[in-house]
Amino acid sequence: MRTETDDTVDQAPSFFWPQAMERGRVGDAAFARAYARVPDLDRARIKTGIAAVFAACGGPMPRLRRSEAVLGHDLVLTRSDAPLDFAVIVCGPRFASPSRLVAAVLPALCAGVPEVAAVRVGGAWPQELLVALELCGVETACRLGPRALAGVWPQLVAKGSGALVLLDGAPRPALAACPGIVLHEAATRGRALVADGLKERLDREALAFAQPDLELVDAASLAGDAPGALAKDAISEYDAVYVGDGADPAFAEAASLRLGPGRETFWLWPQLPPGAFRRVRIAAARQGDVA
């Protein structure tokens, strides 16, 4: 059974995050209790997902990348990118997936963002999500109300440039006065399709742990007497398809995110590669003007 923690600050403030976030910060004791209460098997499931997302992100990026290309029309194009100053991952009160949280947090860490925080709006943090954050290395988890959160963005933009990621159920903020914050949304429709194959079944317990807030629909219950009859356009309506070995090839062709056996705890947001958390600068010059 999933439980939530309501504990707040028992550690020194970071001096980077606004006071509203510091007042709502989850304390070290709550992280420790969550880690102790989540069973070893579930912690191992989270670690498996983290390792896969880390590999998908390509590992840590260098602090600064710079490339120069001499192109046609006497054009020299220089491109450089470096980490943003901060990233804030925000989820709503019903968000409960450690896998989808990892997939939002880890790209920012791989991008080298020095300050990464997770904020839950309107509800306490489930202990599984706190364990996922701790295993990722994120120490700043906060619980805020919508009004307090709205006041955070002008204070943060004064500290530099950053990214805001809205997960399922997170309120969309007004950022017109905060041009230094780029907004990314990562939301689901709320359903995933599960299709066991002829050769191997999926781990339903791992799926239920990784995606407790998604409706997991068994493909066999939809196809009836004709397993291959599920239309491709119907498959595309699901956020992900978990497919066992030997399942109908239509699942592979139509699913936007297809996950096989052993990847029940993995997730990837295509709109959140590490590059989404980097500041990019481009310079153009004539070839003769480059020193």
Side-chain angles (χ1 to χ4, degrees):
M1 177 183 295
R2 291 178 176 259
T3 60
E4 297 186 339
T5 177
D6 201 18
D7 299 291
T8 52
V9 182
D10 62 359
Q11 57 183 319
S14 69
F15 300 107
F16 178 87
W17 301 110
Q19 283 301 308
M21 292 179 64
E22 294 295 347
R23 287 193 295 269
R25 179 192 284 262
V26 174
D28 289 339
F31 273 101
R33 280 193 295 273
Y35 193 89
R37 291 172 179 170
V38 172
D40 291 344
L41 176 58
D42 289 339
R43 293 202 303 268
R45 287 166 171 161
I46 294 173
K47 290 177 183 178
T48 298
I50 288 173
V53 176
F54 186 82
C57 289
M61 299 176 69
R63 174 68 186 172
L64 176 65
R65 296 190 306 180
R66 185 178 183 275
S67 63
E68 184 177 282
V70 180
L71 306 172
H73 300 282
D74 204 27
L75 172 66
V76 178
L77 205 62
T78 303
R79 185 187 187 278
S80 62
D81 64 272
L84 295 172
D85 299 304
F86 63 87
V88 181
I89 317 300
V90 181
C91 62
R94 290 179 297 277
F95 183 90
S97 168
S99 294
R100 302 202 312 276
L101 180 61
V102 166
V105 166
L106 211 56
L109 298 175
C110 287
V113 177
E115 300 287 348
V116 178
V119 174
R120 191 169 181 85
V121 183
W125 280 97
Q127 59 189 16
E128 293 83 2
L129 298 191
L130 290 182
V131 171
L133 291 172
E134 182 171 3
L135 291 175
C136 284
V138 174
E139 298 178 350
T140 303
C142 310
R143 179 187 178 191
L144 295 178
R147 182 176 299 179
L149 183 62
V152 159
W153 311 122
Q155 299 176 54
L156 278 177
V157 80
K159 296 177 178 285
S161 58
L164 164 61
V165 178
L166 300 181
L167 298 177
D168 289 331
R172 186 181 180 90
L175 294 177
C178 304
I181 298 178
V182 60
L183 175 65
H184 301 289
E185 295 188 77
T188 63
R189 300 180 183 90
R191 296 194 304 166
L193 194 62
V194 183
D196 287 313
L198 299 175
K199 301 177 182 178
E200 188 172 4
R201 293 180 59 85
L202 293 146
D203 186 338
R204 302 301 177 101
E205 289 187 4
L207 272 176
F209 171 78
Q211 305 294 351
D213 50 357
L214 291 187
E215 179 188 2
L216 300 175
V217 180
D218 194 321
S221 68
L222 302 177
D225 296 330
L230 196 59
K232 291 183 180 179
D233 57 348
I235 295 173
S236 65
E237 294 176 1
Y238 292 87
D239 297 299
V241 177
Y242 295 89
V243 185
D245 291 344
D248 190 276
F251 293 113
E253 298 171 7
S256 57
L257 178 60
R258 181 171 59 96
L259 304 171
R263 295 305 171 202
E264 291 89 348
T265 60
F266 175 75
W267 192 269
L268 203 64
W269 297 108
Q271 65 270 49
L272 294 178
F277 299 93
R278 306 274 291 192
R279 182 190 303 108
V280 178
R281 289 188 167 86
I282 295 175
R286 295 178 301 183
Q287 185 171 2
D289 296 336
V290 178

